[in-house]
Amino acid sequence: ACDYLDQAELMQRFGIDRSAAILSGASASANPGQLTAGLLSVAQARGAEIASPVEITDLAETGDSAALATREGGVLTAEQVVFCTGYEFLPVMESRAHRITSTWALASRPRIARPDWLDRSLVWEASEPYLYFRSARDGRIIAGGEDMDDPEAYRDPARLHAKARRIALKLRNLCGIEIGSPAYVWAAPFGNTSDGLPIIDRVPGFSCAHAVMGFGGNGITFSMIAAQIIAARLSDKRDPDEELFAFR
Ligand SMILES: Cc1cc2nc3c(=O)[nH]c(=O)nc-3n(C[C@H](O)[C@H](O)[C@H](O)COP(=O)(O)OP(=O)(O)OC[C@H]3O[C@@H](n4cnc5c(N)ncnc54)[C@H](O)[C@@H]3O)c2cc1C
């Protein structure tokens, strides 16, 4: 369920001066490093073997299994392979529907003065470019956005600091949060498909290789959908939503 807040209610409850907002209860936040470590340790406890670092450079199907070549010259075999390569598309699945942009983010020092509601809310301003922010348990503010339609812009160190200043200024203007100089700043390539949906499908020409790629900014939601679709496929079942995410 979600509520529509008009300008007056948005100002009264959150002190934000914008024409309207949608307030929904369906989001959650997590520390991504801890979340990933937790998932890997559960997988390990259930018998998964973790090999890292390994770069896969080639794939071939041999009878009813797959052979994977590694950068170091080794070969791994598996009955089924699932490539979860993020924004790096497999060469056989390069797609014109996928494009790489640049994005920036920062984390402030701990214990920044902030409105009480921010510790219970995640904020996304759907402007162009967008702004998102939340607080962390130690009172840091994590904020980001300022995307540019350029796959290389994130490499520019001067731009990194200019973008961080801009994000900090937007935070101050939107809800009066003063973060001073950030403790950390990042820039990264960011991949998006033209329709906003990821690709969750078989690798073309292979029966035992699958790919899960191109989550855009919605990794938490799409990874769950991908887990359901791929798990169904590996058990010879069909997920009713699978066509939405077919390779295109
Ligand atoms: C700035 C930013 C903010 C975001 N905010 C959110 C958010 O608020 N909410 C949300 O849900 N999502 C968010 N996302 C998206 C989310 O982070 C991603 O969707 C998620 O991390 C994807 O996870 P993954 O494991 O599928 O891929 P990744 O985490 O990208 O991991 C893929 C891995 O595969 C490796 N790899 C690639 N090719 C090969 C190969 N040939 N051999 C071996 N390894 C290979 C890569 O090196 C990488 O380590 C954000 C992303 C960015 C960049």
Side-chain angles (χ1 to χ4, degrees), residues 54-56 84-88 103 132 189-190 215-220:
V54 176
E55 187 186 351
I56 302 303
C84 302
T85 52
Y87 304 137
E88 297 175 54
T103 192
Y132 62 86
F190 189 83
F215 287 162
N218 297 302
I220 290 180

Side-chain angles (χ1 to χ4, degrees), residues 55-68:
E55 187 186 351
I56 302 303
T57 51
D58 205 359
L59 165 71
E61 207 158 66
T62 51
D64 54 4
S65 69
L68 302 161

